[in-house]
Amino acid sequence: MPVSRPTRTDALLGLATFCLVATAVATGDRPAAPAAYGFAVGFGALLLVARSWPVPALLATALGITAYYTLGLPPIGLAAPAAAVLYAAAERGRVRWAAVVGGALLVVSVVTRLAEGDDTAIVLGFGLGSEAALMLAVVALGDAVRNRRSLRAELARQALVAAEDRRREAARQVEAERLRIAREVHDTLGHTMSVVTLQSAVAQEALADSAPERVGAALAAIRSAGGSAMAELRATLGTLRGDAGVRRPPPGIDQLAALAEGVSRSGLPVDLRVDGDVDTLPAVVGTTAYRVVQEALTNTLRHARATRVEVTVRATGSQLTLEVVDDGRGVAASPGQAGGSQGLRGMSERVALLGGTAHTGNAGTGGFRVSVRLPLSGPRA
């Protein structure tokens, strides 16, 4: 047990013990001897070290009381010199020691007084009962104070743990939000830049072939893609700034037709088929489905050299299935579409967050296939 400096409480207990013993000496029926007051000082001084050494202080008090009465000094009882040190020992967790020493003092006192011829009724009735009750009370008080202090310390520790848990949870949520925003920006810019790159090439070829109508269509597609990307980016940045004025709902199944039309204008025809009741899908499922199709079409524009893409969306009672199949080169000739690419990996992570599955690879008839299943119950807890 670490050594602690005497506190104001220790000093007050020591002073109270000295005063009680000195008063008992001064008011006794025998002449007061200087040695009796010396014992009073000693009993009080022991309280200054009882916090650091509770058991030695307790034993020293018991020996001091025994020596005091052995010398025939004026009676001072047991409670006056022992009560405070019993409390200090119990308060420091030495309840058994306090109980044993207190009980031993009572037994010695009773036996000695009976041997000296004191009235049995007074010794066993009033004297033993009152002193035993007082000793028991101070020991119980010391133990209660210790338990209360331990409870406060435990509550403080639990509060610190809870605060740390909240901090970690907040950091986890911030990290998850950063990852979500990074995915949104990647999907938006990746798709838009693919359209812009393709249409820029079309415009360049049209200029070389002196076909102004194709140049106009390509520039219109570039403008449309850029405008959509800027709107999505403003909404994403508005979320970061907490600006409610620029927020808008995330894209969902209802915007797949516009997505397919935009890709078709880029020169890659998209056949979109939507079956089942998709109007009541959870918002997070609809957004994930849109991003999956967007990523699949982006990869096709970049790598597949396809001439057509089929997109099938089907909602059943328990899940939503997506399938995007192109007639391009497939994985063997198009390493950019391998399962380890950044875009497809991010797509798989999106799907996994909702408890769904994603499979990518060559289609049976050639080209590349993206197949996804999403549970309609939304993200798992």
Side-chain angles (χ1 to χ4, degrees):
M1 181 177 297
V3 177
S4 58
R5 298 178 61 185
T7 64
R8 181 180 300 179
T9 301
D10 298 331
L12 290 176
L13 287 175
L15 179 62
T17 299
F18 166 75
C19 291
L20 287 173
V21 175
T23 300
V25 170
T27 59
D29 54 359
R30 301 179 188 176
Y37 291 106
F39 273 94
V41 173
F43 290 137
L46 285 174
L47 270 300
L48 298 179
V49 298
R51 182 177 299 273
S52 298
W53 296 286
V55 174
L58 190 62
L59 294 177
T61 299
L63 291 175
I65 294 173
T66 303
Y68 182 93
Y69 282 106
T70 301
L71 294 175
L73 298 175
I76 55 175
L78 296 179
V85 76
L86 288 172
Y87 165 84
E91 189 263 342
R92 295 298 284 176
R94 300 297 189 267
V95 178
R96 291 184 179 179
W97 276 97
V100 170
V101 171
L105 287 174
L106 287 174
V107 171
V108 172
S109 174
V110 169
V111 171
T112 302
R113 292 178 65 183
L114 291 176
E116 292 176 350
D118 289 355
D119 186 85
T120 303
I122 296 178
V123 172
L124 297 181
F126 176 76
L128 177 62
S130 60
E131 290 188 339
L134 182 57
M135 288 185 177
L136 180 62
V138 296
V139 171
L141 177 62
D143 189 49
V145 170
R146 180 182 65 85
N147 289 334
R148 185 175 180 181
R149 183 181 297 114
S150 299
L151 178 60
R152 286 202 303 266
E154 177 62 20
L155 291 176
R157 187 192 67 80
Q158 292 179 1
L160 290 176
V161 171
E164 179 64 17
D165 290 342
R166 288 193 297 270
R167 186 193 66 78
R168 291 178 180 176
E169 177 62 18
R172 187 193 66 79
Q173 292 180 358
V174 169
E175 185 64 25
E177 182 65 9
R178 288 175 176 171
L179 181 59
R180 184 192 68 81
I181 292 172
R183 286 179 179 141
E184 294 291 332
V185 172
H186 169 271
D187 292 343
T188 300
L189 291 183
H191 178 75
T192 302
M193 294 309 297
S194 296
V195 173
V196 168
T197 300
L198 181 61
Q199 292 297 338
S200 298
V202 171
Q204 186 178 23
E205 293 177 1
L207 286 174
D209 296 338
S210 299
E213 67 283 354
R214 293 179 60 196
V215 175
L219 293 178
I222 292 174
R223 180 178 180 180
S224 175
S228 298
M230 289 302 299
E232 287 201 40
L233 288 177
R234 280 196 299 269
T236 301
L237 294 177
T239 301
L240 288 175
R241 292 193 300 263
D243 186 358
V246 297
R247 296 180 183 177
R248 69 174 186 176
I253 297 292
D254 57 333
Q255 298 185 34
L256 282 180
L259 177 64
E261 182 180 353
V263 176
S264 297
R265 287 200 305 266
S266 299
L268 177 61
V270 178
D271 295 330
L272 174 64
R273 179 181 177 181
V274 179
D275 296 329
D277 183 12
V278 296
D279 296 331
T280 59
L281 293 178
V284 66
V285 175
T287 299
T288 301
Y290 178 90
R291 293 305 187 190
V292 167
V293 174
Q294 184 183 53
E295 180 61 32
L297 293 178
T298 299
N299 283 346
T300 301
L301 283 171
R302 285 178 174 176
H303 311 293
R305 296 183 182 177
T307 61
R308 181 167 294 277
V309 182
E310 294 182 359
V311 178
T312 304
V313 180
R314 182 175 294 107
T316 61
S318 61
Q319 67 180 4
L320 180 73
T321 59
L322 307 171
E323 190 172 77
V324 182
V325 182
D326 64 54
D327 60 354
R329 301 182 299 173
V331 173
S334 180
Q337 284 191 333
S341 69
Q342 188 67 25
L344 292 181
R345 184 161 53 249
M347 180 184 70
S348 298
E349 291 173 355
R350 280 181 180 273
V351 172
L353 286 175
L354 273 67
T357 59
H359 300 283
T360 60
N362 287 336
T365 57
F368 193 77
R369 181 194 305 273
V370 174
S371 179
V372 169
R373 296 179 183 273
L374 296 171
L376 296 185
S377 57
R380 293 180 296 183

